[in-house]
Amino acid sequence: MKKVIEGSHAVAEAVRLCAPKVIAAYPITPQTHIVERLSKMVADGQLDSEFLCVESEHSAMSACIGAQATGVRTYTATASQGLMLMHEMLHVASGMRLPIVINVANRSVSSPLSIWNDWLDAMAVRNSGWVQLFVESSQEALDTTIQAYKIAETIHLPVMVCIDGFYLSHTYEPVDIPDTVAGYLGDYKPKVVLDPKNPITQGMMAGPKAFQEFKEQQHRALLSAKDVIKNENREFNKKFGRIYGDGLVETYNMESADYAIISMGSVCGTIKHILDEKKISDIGLIRIKTYRPFPNKEIIDLTKNLKALGVLEKDISFGIGGALWADVKTFVDKPVSNFIGGLGGRDIQIEDIVKIFGTIRKEEENIHWVGSQLKK
Amino acid sequence: MDKKFNEGAWAEPGTSVKNKTGSWRTFKPIVTDRCVGCGTCTKFCPEGAIKIVEKNGKKKAEINYDYCKGCLICLKECPFKAIEKEVEK
Amino acid sequence: MKKLLSFGTRSCAGCPASLAVRRILEAVGDNVIIVNGTSCLEVTTTQYPLSSWNVPYIHTAFECTGAVASGVESALKKMGKDTHVVAIAGDGGTFDIGLQSLSGMIDRGHNVLYICYDNECYANTGLQRSSATPYGAATTTSPPGKFSIGNKTFKKPIVQMLAAQKVPYVATASLAYPDDLERKVKKALTIKGPKFIHILAPCPISWRFDSSETIHVARLAVETGMWILCEIENGKIKINVTPSERKPVKDYLSLQGRFKHLKDEDIKKIQEKVDDDWKAYKKY
């Protein structure tokens, strides 16, 4: 059924369809509309879940871990400071191989305090062993959240679906809500659970003789997510008629491109619009949907005949440059300029992107702060 | 999957019995004939290594030396002073 | 019968935590899920690949025992399973870093028995001061010196705090009174909602006494009135053991290396605090 709804509500609809038995969440802007809607669904009997109003994001993830380890599907959502507070438990969840699903309504991280969008939150936790997916539209947010459960439960790792705060979370768009996900997402069937009939021990300590192997296993599992994500992208298309690139990356206007701009999330919609509007043919867009695991092969293949690239991102890895740029540079041996912009909710305007295109064509490699008001 | 490394690091129950902690002892508690099998020591043994057994119709505490760490709480708490110690050889 | 906490734990000789768990599990039985905060108990019973637990057990981190237990209990509820949830954490994990999570668990009314085994310091990391450390005690972060008596504060009144939050059942227990301890655990499990039991856990290493003295020290804590055995049910307090003549606190303090630097006037201050506490308890 098609409805014009907020991105947050699109996500809530996806969660309702996947029916996690335990939802634990703490309110934080701009995530609030997701969990408000979910608690109303529970109150109205549309969703058969325990909704825990926990007292912090740390406890939100902790409660999800406890519930998931007991044997039920769980859900939480957060942003910004909340994700920072939860950070410790993100590592616990992935280390314990629990397929928890979270939505992050991406928001900057204090200080200075900012409630507005960028990716500083998600980027700060990129080493926590979670699958990290970035979406462009509300429809994709809904579809990806459903896929997230399937991916997580296949590879036994938690999945984070990132939606740009406000740009997606608070924007109304037409969204097609499936009637059911039955036939796509089956019942949750965990391998090991807390059960007096088979009293296993979970969340152990491991000494130097064992610890490293568990981390190697986790890394392998996260790499294996690439095929799983691609497959779910196709399977989802078969059932629901919507597909997003190959699940890892989506390309746009690349047919005759000499250059590419690489980015993620909702700003890609703006880039596509400009490419169309200005009938640009020498530049294409590579939208990274799956940030972790990183689609290195795809990036190498897509850029091998290009002259130069630009990476536009709403984050900074202090002391090196953009996190995404650094990742791309690891695999691409040609000029890659880095454009850091949109921090703390600053709009990335059409003129900004036109300027970025001009810089990419210069085939240089510098770090540019989009619209910087500081003296050089 | 490598069986040695359970995905997510979970373990089968009760497997620590492999740790024979009796080797830690410096003193060894010895149950003497004064023991009447009252069971006080069983409630105070941190290892759960003492049980009351019946031999020739007489109840008596029996210490599992595979696991007794030699803390000597039993010796200290025995209401009948029925437990003595010797230096572990 | 199978031991619910099996042999071969890596705890020190005379460990009060192992002993507390044996008594707890004796009372609880095997239809339980244990949620454990990071602590000596965790590291001595769950070293991969060997576990000492014969009941289902989960540990995640230090400060979230109450939250993890909340999640476990909520999942059981949705699964329609009637299994006890018993959370066990140390004093650091309860009084300090885990207080918020415990308070949240209580606030939401989860059907969980939360047990704090209190060795009055961060024993797992080598004896640092917690807010459960008693006045005057030497720890590695509250050492006595020219300008310090040792720990400068009295123990945080956790029992009163939780009673004020209207926890339906709050009790203290002692390893020296195992029948009382087991009775309280059994009783707690008959009450719906959050329950809290606070067990004093004299630690030979941290408190510096001989490993054979664990029970003796625990008993003296009660006999000197430094540890008040009580139950608070729906706000009503019942003192379980009232020593006919309280022994002087010196008897308790002098057994332990952590207090050996105290002067007579310091001990007097502690004695006065204990006397005041008893007056307050009797009024309450």
Side-chain angles (χ1 to χ4, degrees):
Chain A
M1 188 189 18
K2 251 192 174 156
K3 266 187 173 176
V4 178
I5 55 173
E6 240 188 28
S8 293
H9 295 166
V11 165
E13 292 294 339
V15 176
R16 177 180 60 77
L17 289 165
C18 299
K21 287 291 176 201
V22 174
I23 302 170
Y26 186 84
I28 183 167
T29 304
Q31 152 267 34
T32 43
H33 292 187
I34 300 173
V35 295
E36 285 170 357
R37 179 52 61 97
L38 286 171
S39 35
K40 182 70 174 138
M41 287 170 173
V42 173
D44 290 343
Q46 295 170 9
L47 174 57
D48 179 24
S49 300
E50 282 289 303
F51 188 100
L52 306 187
C53 290
V54 285
E55 78 298 332
S56 77
E57 289 87 352
H58 194 284
S59 284
M61 186 48 63
S62 300
C64 286
I65 290 170
Q68 194 91 34
T70 307
V72 300
R73 203 170 267 161
T74 66
Y75 176 79
T76 187
T78 190
S80 181
Q81 313 301 123
L83 192 62
M84 297 300 98
L85 186 56
M86 194 186 272
H87 192 164
E88 179 193 21
M89 301 315 289
L90 296 177
H91 288 258
V92 175
S94 62
M96 291 178 73
R97 308 297 300 273
L98 297 171
I100 295 165
V101 170
I102 189 173
N103 280 108
V104 174
N106 296 107
R107 167 186 151 182
S108 198
V109 175
S110 194
S111 171
L113 181 70
S114 167
I115 63 161
W116 305 105
N117 167 249
D118 61 37
W119 309 330
L120 285 175
D121 54 3
M123 286 301 185
V125 299
R126 67 189 187 279
N127 285 341
S128 56
W130 285 55
V131 173
Q132 285 184 303
L133 307 172
F134 284 74
V135 303
E136 183 186 328
S137 66
S138 296
Q139 183 70 62
E140 191 183 355
L142 182 147
D143 294 346
T144 305
T145 302
I146 294 168
Q147 291 176 32
Y149 279 100
K150 194 81 179 287
I151 297 162
E153 292 167 18
T154 306
I155 59 169
H156 310 131
L157 278 177
V159 177
M160 179 182 297
V161 181
C162 295
I163 66 169
D164 280 311
F166 296 107
Y167 294 115
L168 288 183
S169 66
H170 286 54
T171 303
Y172 280 74
E173 288 181 347
V175 172
D176 193 353
I177 306 167
D179 297 328
T180 174
V181 295
Y184 176 75
L185 181 70
D187 290 339
Y188 177 45
K189 292 192 192 86
K191 266 196 191 160
V192 287
V193 293
L194 298 168
D195 181 2
K197 288 197 195 88
N198 178 27
I200 54 116
T201 292
Q202 292 195 57
M204 306 182 72
M205 76 171 289
K209 283 183 185 156
F211 185 88
Q212 187 172 305
E213 278 67 22
F214 290 115
K215 294 300 124 180
E216 192 181 345
Q217 268 183 350
Q218 252 179 276
H219 182 59
R220 286 187 196 177
L222 193 51
L223 291 178
S224 79
K226 289 186 193 180
D227 286 340
V228 175
I229 292 166
K230 281 183 178 171
N231 186 50
E232 290 312 322
N233 189 49
R234 288 189 297 266
E235 289 301 307
F236 192 89
N237 188 35
K238 277 187 213 157
K239 283 262 180 326
F240 302 102
R242 287 186 294 274
I243 191 156
Y244 302 93
D246 70 351
L248 303 179
V249 295
E250 182 198 38
T251 56
Y252 195 80
N253 205 43
M254 287 293 288
E255 295 74 21
S256 58
D258 292 321
Y259 307 98
I261 180 165
I262 297 178
S263 196
M264 306 196 292
S266 62
V267 73
C268 292
T270 314
I271 296 170
K272 287 176 184 172
H273 169 78
I274 298 164
L275 290 171
D276 287 349
E277 193 82 344
K278 305 215 178 272
K279 300 192 169 53
I280 293 168
S281 61
D282 63 332
I283 296 182
L285 166 70
I286 301 170
R287 177 171 76 89
I288 294 183
K289 171 169 180 165
T290 302
Y291 178 60
R292 286 291 183 267
F294 192 70
N296 48 343
K297 266 194 217 120
E298 287 70 15
I299 301 286
I300 293 168
D301 287 349
L302 288 167
T303 60
K304 65 175 180 250
N305 296 322
L306 302 180
K307 292 175 180 163
L309 311 170
V311 174
L312 171 61
E313 59 191 305
K314 303 185 200 175
D315 68 273
I316 170 70
S317 178
F318 298 108
I320 178 164
L324 181 56
W325 171 77
D327 290 337
V328 170
K329 272 309 292 177
T330 306
F331 300 101
V332 175
D333 188 20
K334 55 184 75 194
V336 186
S337 277
N338 192 192
F339 303 93
I340 292 164
L343 296 195
R346 184 174 303 179
D347 266 337
I348 297 174
Q349 306 274 352
I350 291 176
E351 310 81 80
D352 296 326
I353 291 173
V354 170
K355 224 171 133 185
I356 287 168
F357 287 168
T359 311
I360 293 173
R361 289 187 184 105
K362 286 184 197 160
E363 301 179 22
E364 45 125 84
E365 183 163 296
N366 281 309
I367 294 175
H368 304 270
W369 289 75
V370 178
S372 173
Q373 299 167 68
L374 297 179
K375 282 184 196 144
K376 285 229 160 123
Chain B
M1 193 57 63
D2 192 337
K3 262 194 137 174
K4 226 177 134 190
F5 298 99
N6 293 329
E7 192 181 271
W10 58 271
E12 297 288 351
T15 35
S16 74
V17 288
K18 285 181 187 151
N19 299 331
K20 296 282 173 72
T21 52
S23 64
W24 298 12
R25 274 194 311 276
T26 49
F27 287 101
K28 185 179 188 177
I30 310 286
V31 182
T32 67
D33 287 344
R34 294 192 292 281
C35 174
V36 298
C38 72
T40 303
C41 53
T42 63
K43 293 246 171 191
F44 291 142
C45 175
E47 307 316 314
I50 311 178
K51 62 179 179 188
I52 303 299
V53 292
E54 216 171 302
K55 269 186 199 161
N56 310 325
K58 201 181 167 233
K59 281 182 175 178
K60 194 176 173 184
E62 187 181 270
I63 297 172
N64 185 336
Y65 291 113
D66 280 348
Y67 299 102
C68 163
K69 293 172 183 167
C71 69
L72 301 181
I73 289 178
C74 51
L75 180 150
K76 176 86 185 173
E77 295 302 323
C78 175
F80 300 94
K81 305 266 177 260
I83 297 177
E84 292 174 358
K85 67 174 176 185
E86 62 181 39
V87 176
E88 186 69 41
K89 283 169 237 124
Chain C
M1 203 187 79
K2 196 159 63 176
K3 282 190 185 305
L4 298 181
L5 183 71
S6 85
F7 290 130
T9 75
R10 295 251 169 220
S11 59
C12 309
C15 176
S18 299
L19 181 51
V21 170
R22 291 191 194 285
R23 295 282 68 76
I24 293 163
L25 289 177
E26 184 83 31
V28 173
D30 60 4
N31 185 23
V32 64
I33 293 172
I34 298 290
V35 180
N36 190 196
T38 310
S39 55
C40 284
L41 179 62
E42 178 250 329
V43 303
T44 58
T45 57
T46 69
Q47 293 190 10
Y48 190 85
L50 306 181
S51 169
S52 302
W53 298 85
N54 271 314
V55 288
Y57 168 102
I58 181 172
H59 156 264
T60 66
F62 200 1
E63 67 276 58
C64 48
T65 312
V68 176
S70 301
V72 170
E73 185 254 7
S74 301
L76 288 172
K77 204 162 144 186
K78 292 319 275 186
M79 294 161 101
K81 285 192 179 173
D82 196 17
T83 299
H84 296 303
V85 181
V86 175
I88 306 177
D91 52 295
T94 302
F95 283 61
D96 289 341
I97 201 165
L99 185 60
Q100 174 179 317
S101 153
L102 167 60
S103 181
M105 182 200 96
I106 292 165
D107 168 57
R108 292 184 298 273
H110 292 283
N111 190 25
V112 174
L113 168 57
Y114 187 108
I115 298 175
C116 170
Y117 79 95
D118 179 3
N119 53 30
E120 303 193 321
C121 67
Y122 291 91
N124 199 19
T125 42
L127 170 56
Q128 292 82 24
R129 182 253 178 210
S130 80
S131 62
T133 302
Y135 177 78
T139 72
T140 54
T141 52
S142 66
K146 202 168 160 190
F147 299 105
S148 179
I149 180 179
N151 186 42
K152 296 178 185 70
T153 57
F154 285 96
K155 201 176 172 77
K156 190 186 271 184
I158 194 86
V159 164
Q160 289 89 330
M161 286 165 64
L162 296 178
Q165 208 188 340
K166 308 235 179 299
V167 177
Y169 184 75
V170 183
T172 60
S174 166
L175 296 175
Y177 297 78
D179 295 339
D180 178 71
L181 192 161
E182 287 178 32
R183 177 184 65 78
K184 284 168 175 167
V185 170
K186 279 185 183 147
K187 183 170 177 183
L189 291 177
T190 64
I191 296 164
K192 262 263 184 241
K195 287 82 60 172
F196 181 80
I197 296 180
H198 187 193
I199 303 176
L200 185 68
C203 166
I205 308 293
S206 315
W207 297 15
R208 286 183 271 146
F209 58 78
D210 186 81
S211 65
S212 65
E213 306 261 13
T214 303
I215 300 302
H216 184 54
V217 170
R219 190 179 296 111
L220 268 173
V222 175
E223 289 173 350
T224 57
M226 288 208 61
W227 189 253
I228 300 176
L229 280 181
C230 67
E231 291 168 283
I232 305 172
E233 229 182 314
N234 296 316
K236 276 200 182 135
I237 189 164
K238 187 173 154 199
I239 295 178
N240 305 112
V241 175
T242 309
S244 51
E245 204 172 313
R246 267 189 281 126
K247 290 182 178 168
V249 295
K250 198 174 180 176
D251 291 5
Y252 172 70
L253 303 175
S254 61
L255 266 181
Q256 306 170 46
R258 61 176 177 157
F259 293 117
K260 77 166 190 288
H261 59 284
L262 294 185
K263 298 189 186 74
D264 283 348
E265 71 244 40
D266 305 326
I267 292 170
K268 198 176 155 223
K269 192 170 169 182
I270 296 171
Q271 183 68 61
E272 281 166 8
K273 173 77 164 69
V274 169
D275 294 344
D276 287 349
D277 281 353
W278 274 89
K279 273 182 214 149
Y281 262 83
K282 279 181 179 159
K283 243 187 250 167
Y284 181 68

